[in-house]
Amino acid sequence: MFIQNNYGADMARPRQFDADQAIDRGMDLFWSRGCAATSLQDLTAVLGIVSGSLYAAFGSKEQLHARALERYRSRNAGALISDRDSATDVWSALRATLTA
């Protein structure tokens, strides 16, 4: 939806939700249900937004899932790499990665 300004040009409505918070909530939902089992209705209910806002902010459910995966990776990869690098052999590294 567009709002007309005083000069006759269209302006996009400002986002009414925190995209980072939406990604975090989406990440939790995808984690618990999986991407395929998470519906657009599930996402909009948990995120507290309408489908148009989800599409405007993220493009699609799949793109939100990709952003959630990137968020998960950025938060958790450092610890996994550290555990792997501190292991004394391959089996210890594998065990550390899997238990993490």
Side-chain angles (χ1 to χ4, degrees), residues 6-17:
N6 292 336
Y7 306 107
D10 290 332
M11 296 181 357
R13 179 183 292 181
R15 187 171 292 148
Q16 300 294 318
F17 66 95

Side-chain angles (χ1 to χ4, degrees), residues 28-97:
D28 292 340
L29 187 60
F30 289 130
W31 181 263
S32 67
R33 295 186 183 180
C35 185
T38 301
S39 71
L40 183 61
Q41 291 173 333
D42 295 333
L43 284 168
T44 57
V46 167
L47 302 182
I49 61 175
V50 297
S51 60
S53 294
L54 186 141
Y55 288 124
F58 303 109
S60 68
K61 176 181 97 165
E62 290 76 14
Q63 288 174 312
L64 174 57
H65 183 249
R67 300 252 322 253
L69 284 173
E70 177 57 30
R71 174 72 50 90
Y72 180 82
R73 186 206 58 80
S74 70
R75 289 184 177 173
N76 297 298
L80 290 173
I81 291 168
S82 177
D83 289 346
R84 181 203 65 202
D85 290 347
S86 65
T88 57
D89 59 79
V90 172
W91 292 113
S92 296
L94 183 59
R95 187 177 304 109
T97 300

Side-chain angles (χ1 to χ4, degrees), residues 1-4 10-14 52 56:
M1 178 173 278
F2 291 93
I3 301 170
Q4 190 87 14
D10 290 332
M11 296 181 357
R13 179 183 292 181

